């Protein structure tokens, strides 16, 4: 059976997260999106863990959970969390985010008891722990060998394994002797598998993609995901597929175009300047407007560490498909400022009512069937996104990339270049994911 999984999200106790990000809303929009499995996020937070226990029913055979609600009972949850470790390494401060997967509440409670020795778990859904990355893995694996840790959004400039400002040049330096327990990496919005294939040292790791969403809206949750083909839908099967790098079970990942990510190019959002790697290097990574340091983008950071050409294809690795959220596509075609407008919702739900969920629209629905439900420009754009025929102006320094299409504006029939609203989201200091 096909299982589409988003294993990294956040609950309402994480900073910069919607206050309505509760279990029922997560399940509701996961169903609309077409997800079959979603992470709970934030099991380290005591209040969120209490809500999870109250809202979800545990299946001991699958080691997964579901809502006691007929409308969304088919959505399964996996116990997950993200933590931040801050520590010194060779005279510099390292700030690394990690995702933890766990099989049951008992294991989570034991793990939380251990992690509470290193930080205040109630301070944030994504707590800061004063421990090294290797210490974290050692504590997690000491509780259960069925736990899993992998580094989150490994290329973003802040709080990541390869981050330009506080990361490492090598995964082995980060996790030391505990790297033997690391089986996967999360690519993040600003990179995709092809970019990671350029580093031969990453061949031993499975590449995962998740949304890291802070709201339940369908242009956030499931914007990146993992597609498994499983004989048995269970925690153990998923963990084993990841550990063994089994491309017969982890079939492909769903990726946004990496240019859509808000740290793809090097730039400075205050001065509205951005550059590809070769141009940023010409400026010595200094903003030509204000003379401050530019935020080094993911593409440039990959270029620094890569030992393979840009067209390298890793043999035997799972495939990947580039998509953009359906709401973003519709808003681009309509030329509206937000995917949350009523005009977008009407088109969006017309497609969901017909095809069942968003992934079915984006991946499977043929052009003629789409055009029978919505205007032809919307149908054609969905297919163009699916086929990779699109242009995205790269994001930079916290600014999302822009989808640009020459399309007829539906209300007037005039052709005009329009951009999706996905481009300018200002961030809080806690919102670097």
């Amino acid at each position: 059976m096909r299982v589409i999984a988003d294993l990294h999200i956040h609950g309402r106790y994480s900073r910069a997260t919607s206050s309505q990000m509760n279990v029922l809303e997560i399940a509701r929009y996961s169903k609309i999106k077409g997800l079959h499995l979603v992470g709970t996020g934030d099991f380290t937070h005591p209040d969120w863990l209490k809500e999870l226990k109250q809202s979800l029913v545990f299946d001991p055979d699958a080691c997964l959970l579901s809502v006691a609600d007929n409308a969304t009972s088919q959505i399964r949850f996996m116990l997950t969390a993200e933590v931040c470790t801050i520590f010194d390494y060779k005279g510099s401060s390292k700030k690394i985010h990690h995702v933890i997967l766990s099989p049951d509440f008992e294991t989570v409670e034991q793990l939380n008891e251990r992690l509470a020795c290193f930080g205040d778990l109630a301070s944030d859904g994504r707590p800061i722990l004063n421990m090294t990355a290797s210490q974290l893995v050692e504590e997690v694996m000491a509780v259960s060998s069925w736990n899993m840790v992998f580094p989150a959004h490994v290329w973003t400039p802040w709080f990541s394994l390869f981050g330009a400002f506080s990361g490492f040049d090598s995964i082995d330096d980060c996790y030391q002797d505990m790297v033997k327990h690391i089986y996967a990496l999360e690519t993040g919005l600003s990179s995709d598998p092809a970019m990671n294939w350029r580093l031969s040292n990453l061949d031993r790791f499975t590449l995962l993609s998740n949304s890291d969403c802070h709201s339940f809206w369908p242009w956030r949750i499931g914007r990146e995901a993992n597609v498994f083909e499983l004989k048995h839908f269970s925690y153990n099967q998923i963990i084993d597929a990841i550990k063994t790098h089994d491309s017969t079970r982890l079939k492909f990942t769903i990726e946004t175009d990496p240019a859509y990510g808000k740290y793809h190019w090097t730039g400075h959002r205050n001065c509205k300047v951005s550059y590809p790697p070769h141009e940023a290097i010409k400026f010595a990574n200094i903003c030509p407007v204000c003379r401050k340091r530019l935020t080094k983008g993911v593409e440039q950071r990959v270029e620094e560490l890569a030992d393979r050409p840009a067209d390298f294809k890793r043999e035997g690795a799972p495939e990947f498909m580039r998509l953009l959220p359906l709401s973003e596509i519709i808003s681009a075609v309509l030329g509206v400022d937000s995917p949350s407008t009523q005009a977008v919702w009407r088109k969006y739900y017309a497609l969901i009512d017909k095809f069942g969920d968003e992934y079915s629209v984006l991946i499977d629905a043929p052009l003629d069937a789409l055009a029978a439900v919505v205007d032809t420009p919307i149908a054609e754009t969905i297919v163009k996104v699916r086929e990779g025929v699109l242009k995205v102006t790269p994001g930079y320094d916290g600014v999302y990339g822009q989808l640009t299409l020459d399309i007829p504006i539906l209300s007037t029939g005039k052709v005009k270049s329009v951009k999706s609203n996905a481009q300018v989201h200002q961030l809080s200091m806690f919102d670097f994911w």
Side-chain angles (χ1 to χ4, degrees), residues 140-354:
V140 171
M141 301 314 297
V143 173
S144 172
S145 62
W146 279 106
N147 286 331
M148 175 171 279
V149 182
F150 57 83
H153 42 71
V154 295
W155 292 102
T156 53
W158 289 272
F159 305 112
S160 74
L161 172 61
F162 296 123
F165 294 136
S166 60
F168 292 84
D169 290 348
S170 163
I171 188 170
D172 297 273
D173 287 343
C174 179
Y175 288 106
Q176 303 286 312
D177 60 332
M178 290 292 108
V179 74
K180 62 188 177 184
H181 296 297
I182 303 298
Y183 296 94
L185 309 175
E186 183 181 75
T187 58
L189 292 185
S190 293
S191 85
D192 62 14
M195 296 171 69
N196 289 268
W197 292 339
R198 298 189 62 193
L199 279 72
S200 60
N201 195 38
L202 301 186
D203 288 356
R204 51 191 161 140
F205 303 103
T206 298
L207 301 178
L208 300 175
S209 295
N210 302 292
S211 71
D212 193 4
C213 70
H214 288 56
S215 76
F216 47 77
W217 299 119
W219 52 91
R220 291 287 180 261
I221 197 165
R223 57 189 170 183
E224 295 202 324
N226 313 279
V227 181
F228 294 89
E229 191 67 40
L230 303 173
K231 291 182 179 179
H232 305 289
F233 187 3
S234 70
Y235 177 90
N236 290 358
Q237 282 283 302
I238 291 168
I239 296 300
D240 189 62
I242 296 171
K243 282 185 174 182
T244 58
H245 318 296
D246 187 353
S247 60
T248 67
R249 285 184 290 177
L250 177 53
K251 302 296 290 185
F252 63 94
T253 55
I254 294 171
E255 312 276 340
T256 62
D257 188 309
Y260 174 83
K262 51 193 176 185
Y263 295 106
H264 188 67
W265 268 8
T266 297
H268 189 191
R269 72 173 178 265
N270 288 342
C271 296
K272 298 181 180 179
V273 296
S274 63
Y275 305 101
H278 66 281
E279 291 291 334
I281 292 170
K282 287 181 182 179
F283 289 109
N285 291 324
I286 299 298
C287 178
V289 178
C290 69
R291 310 306 300 171
K292 293 181 180 179
R293 182 173 59 163
L294 295 168
T295 299
K296 187 179 292 183
V298 168
E299 188 173 51
Q300 183 175 348
R301 183 66 173 143
V302 170
E303 198 68 45
E304 290 177 349
L305 300 182
D307 58 352
R308 288 168 171 163
D311 60 353
F312 181 85
K313 172 70 166 65
R314 193 172 108 187
E315 292 297 326
E319 299 294 330
F320 67 93
M321 171 180 285
R322 286 181 177 174
L323 297 174
L324 288 176
L326 178 60
S327 305
E328 300 283 10
I329 295 170
I330 297 171
S331 65
V333 178
L334 296 181
V336 298
D337 292 333
S338 171
S340 63
T341 62
Q342 288 300 312
V344 174
W345 279 123
R346 283 193 293 270
K347 306 290 185 181
Y348 181 89
Y349 277 115
L351 289 165
I352 300 305
D353 289 344
K354 174 63 177 180

Side-chain angles (χ1 to χ4, degrees), residues 105-143:
F105 284 122
E106 181 179 358
T107 302
V108 162
E109 288 169 344
Q110 293 176 27
L111 179 57
N112 286 351
E113 185 176 352
R114 284 175 173 261
L115 297 183
C117 299
F118 300 91
D120 182 3
L121 301 188
S123 64
D124 185 12
R126 182 181 55 203
I128 295 174
L129 304 177
N130 297 307
M131 63 194 308
T132 67
S134 60
Q135 282 179 303
L136 172 68
V137 177
E138 186 174 14
E139 294 290 340
V140 171
M141 301 314 297
V143 173

Side-chain angles (χ1 to χ4, degrees), residues 12-13 23 40-56 65 79 105 108-109 112:
R12 64 193 185 94
Y13 293 96
V23 169
T40 60
D42 305 344
F43 68 56
T44 52
H45 196 282
D47 291 336
W48 183 241
L49 182 59
K50 183 178 179 180
E51 287 189 26
L52 295 176
K53 290 180 177 179
Q54 292 172 342
S55 304
L56 296 170
L65 307 102
L79 288 163
F105 284 122
V108 162
E109 288 169 344
N112 286 351

